[in-house]
Amino acid sequence: MNKPKSQRFDLTTMTGEQIAQLILFGKYTKSALWAFISRNGGADAAHARYPQIAVALHILKQERKKAKKSRAFRTVLKPLSEKLADGYSLTSILDPVLQGYRQLYRDKLGLDLTPEQVILFLIATDCVESLESYGYTCTGDFPTATAV
């Protein structure tokens, strides 16, 4: 029995999201996409004629960044996962860091916080700063150093 010819994809009629999904799921290659761009006069000309190509490349760039952050996160968690497997709690693993922050908050702010409160305080302040750096505001009344 003869194998059917592989399906040819028409990138000119597809959306950028569809093109990116084809590449991410291995149905199309990034080198084939760049060959298509080259055949159509280079990046500037291809993006002008087919804006969905630029959208697809942007999506692929974001996915590459996510993968890089994920690898970095797994690298940080690898030693922690061994201790977690041995039955330690996350607060006991992070205890040296949390004790340092408890001492800092006690000396600088006069707050005597539990390790769990330190974690919540760190998350809350970091998250508000991250939201503000992206141009969003925190809903409700949450005092921050940038709001003062």
Side-chain angles (χ1 to χ4, degrees), residues 9-44:
F9 297 107
D10 186 14
L11 302 183
T12 60
T13 61
M14 300 175 83
T15 66
E17 292 82 9
Q18 291 171 331
I19 296 169
Q21 291 298 321
L22 285 174
I23 293 171
L24 291 173
F25 292 129
K27 303 281 185 196
Y28 200 71
T29 64
K30 200 168 180 182
S31 60
L33 178 63
W34 280 108
F36 175 81
I37 291 170
S38 296
R39 282 192 309 271
N40 285 284
D44 290 337

Side-chain angles (χ1 to χ4, degrees), residues 4-144:
K5 285 188 176 180
S6 63
Q7 179 183 4
R8 299 206 184 256
F9 297 107
D10 186 14
L11 302 183
T12 60
T13 61
M14 300 175 83
T15 66
E17 292 82 9
Q18 291 171 331
I19 296 169
Q21 291 298 321
L22 285 174
I23 293 171
L24 291 173
F25 292 129
K27 303 281 185 196
Y28 200 71
T29 64
K30 200 168 180 182
S31 60
L33 178 63
W34 280 108
F36 175 81
I37 291 170
S38 296
R39 282 192 309 271
N40 285 284
D44 290 337
H47 292 169
R49 273 179 79 186
Y50 309 111
Q52 66 267 29
I53 301 296
V55 172
L57 289 173
H58 180 71
I59 292 170
L60 293 171
K61 182 179 180 182
Q62 295 301 320
E63 290 298 320
R64 190 173 62 240
K65 284 182 182 179
K66 283 182 197 175
K68 185 177 180 181
K69 288 179 182 179
S70 175
R71 283 191 303 272
F73 188 71
R74 282 193 304 255
T75 302
V76 169
L77 286 183
K78 189 171 184 174
L80 296 180
S81 62
E82 293 170 3
K83 286 188 176 185
L84 285 171
D86 290 339
Y88 290 98
S89 69
L90 188 59
T91 52
S92 65
I93 295 169
L94 298 175
D95 192 59
V97 176
L98 296 175
Q99 291 304 324
Y101 272 105
R102 284 186 73 200
Q103 186 66 39
L104 171 75
Y105 294 144
R106 189 178 305 121
D107 294 345
K108 299 289 182 183
L109 303 174
L111 298 173
D112 190 24
L113 304 173
T114 65
E116 289 81 10
Q117 289 172 324
V118 170
I119 292 171
L120 290 174
F121 191 70
L122 289 170
I123 291 171
T125 54
D126 184 58
C127 289
V128 169
E129 290 172 2
S130 294
L131 277 174
E132 290 173 351
S133 72
Y134 289 121
Y136 295 94
T137 58
C138 186
T139 57
D141 186 23
F142 192 84
T144 62

